[in-house]
Amino acid sequence: MNEVKCPSCSKVFSIDEAGFADILKQVRNHEFEQELNDRLKLAQKEKEDAIQLAKERTKSDLRTEFVKLQKDLSELKAAKDTETTRLQAKVDAAETEKKLALAEALRGLEKERDGLASKLESKDTERQLIETSLKTEYEIKIKSKDEEIALYKDMKAKLSTKMIGETLELHCETEFNKLRATAFPRAYFEKDNDASSGTKGDYIYREEDDADNEIVSIMFEMKNEGDETATKKRNEDFLAKLDADRNKKDCEYAVLVTLLESDNELYNTGIVDVSHRYSKMYVIRPQFFIPMITLLRNAALNSMKYKSQLAAMRTQNIDITDFEENIDKFKQGFSTNYERAGRKFDQAIDGIDKTIKQLEKTKAALLSSERNLRLANDKAQDLTIKKLTRGNSTMKAKFDDLKSPSK
């Protein structure tokens, strides 16, 4: 047992070791907590003091750095002012030099401008003279080409179509009468007015020799159709009637003179033999009217000559086998010559067509050249010194300086 005196009432009391240890523990814990709190407060105070000290030191350092920065800034400002003064002096000197160079350049440009203006005026006068000359020349050439085209077109029209204001029948009759007295003095060529058999053709051609022997006879049918005709006819529509009229009027040949089917290449190439359908029948364009009569007439004349000789030889009991072979050879030769003549005539027509097309192309080219010349004239009229210097920044700046009031 241990005796313990109360510090408050001074009473002494006994306590065992367990109680003493418990009291001692309580005292120690209280002292520890008191000491811990004291130390915490001390640490907090030290922390606050340290923070305050750090703030003071930081403020001092910032003040020092601020002063240093102000000093550096003053130095930089002074250096900048010095450099600015130096650069301004250089700028002023460069500006003065630029003004002098610009003035010199402007004097050169003004001189060049005056020269260009003079040249442009001279070129404009020269261009006007050339344009007048070329225009006159083009007009003469175009007029000449127009006359040539008109001439060839008229030539083709006379070869391939009826004359203006004439019917096809009148055209063919006129063409025949032009040559009747010289080429066909013994020929009969008149309209077929005999309709006793029910139908009639348009014209009949007959020719006899001095002994009144018939040389050749041809039944002609003329067919024309205007471009405005709504229902177009075909040449084949008239072949059967023509053959019937030929037989009724006892003609050896039948010929259809036609302007129908103007786009049909078969009838545009020359004389068309349709004997595979109707015996001794041909279809021709008006330009082959006289050549067709001439071919059939000449063939008949040669045939009459050989027939007369053949009859004489037969009366004399002469073997005519070789002579008949010669006749066959003549027929073949005549057919060959006839085909060649047709091809030559077609080539002539093609040549005229090509010439007309070429002349029209030449006219178009001349007109195109005139348009290009007019465009070139417009461009020359629109030409200015400003456009000549477009895209050149140096020249643009110089001209801008010229326009500036301060310059």
Side-chain angles (χ1 to χ4, degrees):
M1 295 295 289
N2 293 319
E3 292 182 354
V4 178
K5 182 180 182 180
C6 178
S8 298
C9 60
S10 299
K11 184 179 178 180
V12 177
F13 56 89
S14 297
I15 189 172
D16 57 10
E17 291 182 0
F20 182 79
D22 184 52
I23 292 173
L24 182 62
K25 181 178 179 182
Q26 291 179 12
V27 172
R28 287 180 178 176
N29 288 341
H30 177 72
E31 290 178 353
F32 177 76
E33 289 177 359
Q34 184 66 36
E35 184 178 358
L36 179 60
N37 288 331
D38 292 341
R39 289 187 179 183
L40 287 174
K41 289 179 181 179
L42 179 62
Q44 182 66 27
K45 187 175 182 304
E46 289 178 353
K47 177 183 177 182
E48 291 176 355
D49 293 340
I51 290 173
Q52 186 64 31
L53 180 61
K55 286 182 179 179
E56 294 296 331
R57 288 180 179 176
T58 302
K59 288 181 179 180
S60 178
D61 292 341
L62 289 175
R63 289 192 190 95
T64 304
E65 186 68 22
F66 179 73
V67 172
K68 182 179 179 182
L69 288 175
Q70 282 186 327
K71 182 179 179 181
D72 293 341
L73 182 61
S74 299
E75 293 177 354
L76 288 174
K77 186 176 181 181
K80 177 184 176 182
D81 292 339
T82 303
E83 183 66 18
T84 301
T85 303
R86 185 179 67 81
L87 290 176
Q88 185 63 40
K90 282 187 176 183
V91 169
D92 293 339
E95 186 68 22
T96 302
E97 183 179 356
K98 175 184 176 182
K99 289 181 179 179
L100 293 174
L102 181 60
E104 183 67 24
L106 287 177
R107 283 195 294 271
L109 286 174
E110 289 174 354
K111 184 177 179 181
E112 184 178 356
R113 180 197 61 193
D114 295 338
L116 287 173
S118 177
K119 287 182 179 180
L120 284 174
E121 184 177 358
S122 175
K123 291 292 183 182
D124 185 61
T125 304
E126 182 180 355
R127 177 191 57 74
Q128 290 178 354
L129 293 174
I130 293 175
E131 180 181 354
T132 303
S133 176
L134 287 176
K135 186 175 181 181
T136 303
E137 182 179 353
Y138 280 132
E139 288 177 351
I140 294 174
K141 287 184 178 180
I142 291 174
K143 183 178 179 182
S144 175
K145 296 302 179 184
D146 286 339
E147 291 175 353
E148 290 184 28
I149 291 172
L151 176 63
Y152 279 103
K153 284 185 176 180
D154 181 64
M155 182 184 299
K156 183 180 179 183
K158 288 180 179 179
L159 288 173
S160 61
T161 62
K162 62 184 178 62
M163 300 298 290
I164 298 176
E166 295 181 352
T167 64
L168 180 58
E169 293 179 4
L170 183 57
H171 170 70
C172 293
E173 185 174 349
T174 301
E175 291 298 311
F176 182 83
N177 288 333
K178 288 179 182 178
L179 301 173
R180 182 191 290 269
T182 55
F184 311 104
R186 298 184 59 82
Y188 167 90
F189 180 75
E190 300 294 341
K191 285 187 66 67
D192 181 16
N193 295 318
D194 181 10
S196 59
S197 60
T199 61
K200 63 185 181 66
D202 287 330
Y203 281 86
I204 295 177
Y205 174 91
R206 295 185 188 276
E207 187 172 0
E208 297 177 347
D209 61 11
D210 296 336
D212 295 331
N213 296 316
E214 184 177 281
I215 299 173
V216 65
S217 59
I218 309 170
M219 171 63 72
F220 282 101
E221 184 80 12
M222 281 74 169
K223 289 299 174 184
N224 186 15
E225 187 173 64
D227 293 334
E228 69 278 1
T229 304
T231 304
K232 300 295 183 181
K233 299 291 186 179
R234 300 171 59 213
N235 292 315
E236 293 185 1
D237 297 338
F238 303 95
L239 298 184
K241 177 183 176 300
L242 177 58
D243 185 62
D245 291 338
R246 184 267 306 271
N247 292 324
K248 290 176 183 178
K249 302 300 169 66
D250 195 23
C251 293
E252 183 179 1
Y253 294 97
V255 177
L256 175 63
V257 183
T258 176
L259 286 172
L260 305 181
E261 299 183 71
S262 58
D263 296 331
N264 193 320
E265 291 299 324
L266 174 63
Y267 300 111
N268 291 334
T269 55
I271 299 172
V272 180
D273 185 353
V274 292
S275 298
H276 60 284
R277 297 187 59 186
Y278 300 97
S279 176
K280 295 186 177 182
M281 184 178 291
Y282 301 92
V283 180
I284 63 172
R285 293 301 187 195
Q287 63 264 30
F288 296 105
F289 173 66
I290 296 299
M292 188 77 240
I293 295 176
T294 303
L295 288 172
L296 296 178
R297 176 176 176 269
N298 291 340
L301 286 173
N302 289 325
S303 179
M304 287 290 294
K305 176 182 176 181
Y306 287 116
K307 285 178 181 179
S308 299
Q309 293 178 358
L310 180 59
M313 292 173 68
R314 281 178 176 174
T315 58
Q316 297 175 8
N317 296 321
I318 299 175
D319 186 4
I320 61 171
T321 302
D322 293 337
F323 188 73
E324 289 178 345
E325 292 178 356
N326 291 332
I327 290 178
D328 292 337
K329 289 180 181 179
F330 166 76
K331 290 180 179 179
Q332 293 176 358
F334 174 79
S335 177
T336 301
N337 292 334
Y338 167 77
E339 291 177 356
R340 289 177 180 174
R343 286 196 299 269
K344 292 294 184 181
F345 194 90
D346 294 340
Q347 290 175 2
I349 294 297
D350 291 340
I352 291 173
D353 289 338
K354 290 178 180 178
T355 302
I356 291 174
K357 290 180 180 178
Q358 184 61 39
L359 290 173
E360 289 176 344
K361 289 181 180 179
T362 303
K363 178 182 177 181
L366 290 173
L367 291 174
S368 177
S369 299
E370 184 180 9
R371 286 194 295 272
N372 289 329
L373 181 62
R374 185 171 62 255
L375 292 175
N377 178 38
D378 294 339
K379 291 180 180 178
Q381 292 291 344
D382 199 32
L383 183 65
T384 62
I385 298 299
K386 184 176 180 180
K387 288 185 177 181
L388 288 174
T389 58
R390 181 178 296 169
N392 189 326
S393 58
T394 303
M395 297 301 296
K396 185 177 183 303
K398 291 180 178 181
F399 277 101
D400 290 340
D401 291 339
L402 282 176
K403 294 179 181 179
S404 176
S406 61
K407 303 301 180 184

